[in-house]
Amino acid sequence: MHGPASPGWLLVALCAATGAYCLLRMRSTVEEQRRSAGGEALMGFGMAAMAVPAAVFSPPAWTWPLYAAVFGAAALRALWSARSSPHHLHHLVGASAMVYVAVVMALSPDHHTGHGTTSGVPLLTGALLLYFTGYVLLSGVRLVPVTAGGGAVGWGDRPELAKACRLSMGIAMVAMLITL
């Protein structure tokens, strides 16, 4: 992503920490939570990799189509999983947004140097910004009344941390779309 390095590194740290926590959630005894955590870990680590400031590392041109393919596969998996759980529709939108960001970055090579050029389809970018902003606000409101669980609950089974994880990835997606 282009822009100042400090916010970029904060975004990398946020997404990497979220991905790491989602890996912990994959150890849960609840199968649906494990399956959901795997997709969220992929999103967290993928967003962290995409958010590394261009001044530090400018990825080779082949990485953007690779990102698009990986997140395209994740979108197809989320579409398939959405048959049984509507929660996966959000994963579908998130993975599709990552495909969109990867395609935009692949099609505008001078965008990586931060020359201030705008890229992407403004209507699609705006719709994704609207969706993720709404998601962040709704997730934040839903997180407020949640209290911490008892001491017997493992790290992978804490609902308030899973919600905070999703909230932080939503915030990161808003930041990535704004800098697009």
Side-chain angles (χ1 to χ4, degrees):
M1 303 302 300
H2 69 286
S6 293
W9 283 118
L10 290 173
L11 192 59
V12 169
L14 175 71
C15 293
T18 300
Y21 175 69
C22 290
L23 286 179
L24 279 176
R25 284 183 40 227
M26 288 180 68
R27 296 176 14 173
S28 172
T29 58
V30 180
E31 181 181 348
E32 178 59 31
Q33 186 158 320
R34 282 193 312 265
R35 193 173 318 139
S36 175
E40 291 170 357
L42 174 69
M43 290 294 290
F45 288 126
M47 291 172 78
M50 291 175 83
V52 173
V56 175
F57 174 71
S58 187
W62 59 266
T63 57
W64 301 112
L66 179 65
Y67 284 140
V70 167
F71 288 109
L76 289 175
R77 185 175 185 279
L79 180 62
W80 181 258
S81 298
R83 297 175 305 126
S84 62
S85 173
H87 170 72
H88 292 284
L89 291 174
H90 173 70
H91 289 187
L92 174 63
V93 174
S96 299
M98 292 295 286
V99 170
Y100 172 66
V101 170
V103 168
V104 168
M105 297 301 276
L107 295 177
S108 59
D110 63 331
H111 185 73
H112 308 293
T113 59
H115 289 129
T117 60
T118 59
S119 55
V121 180
L123 184 61
L124 183 54
T125 304
L128 288 170
L129 269 170
L130 183 64
Y131 173 82
F132 282 103
T133 301
Y135 180 80
V136 164
L137 293 174
L138 185 61
S139 295
V141 167
R142 287 181 180 165
L143 187 62
V144 170
V146 174
T147 58
V153 177
W155 280 99
D157 293 323
R158 300 200 43 192
E160 72 277 8
L161 291 178
K163 289 179 182 181
C165 172
R166 292 182 192 114
L167 175 64
S168 66
M169 283 195 291
I171 292 168
M173 184 59 76
V174 169
M176 288 179 78
L177 289 167
I178 286 174
T179 60
L180 190 62

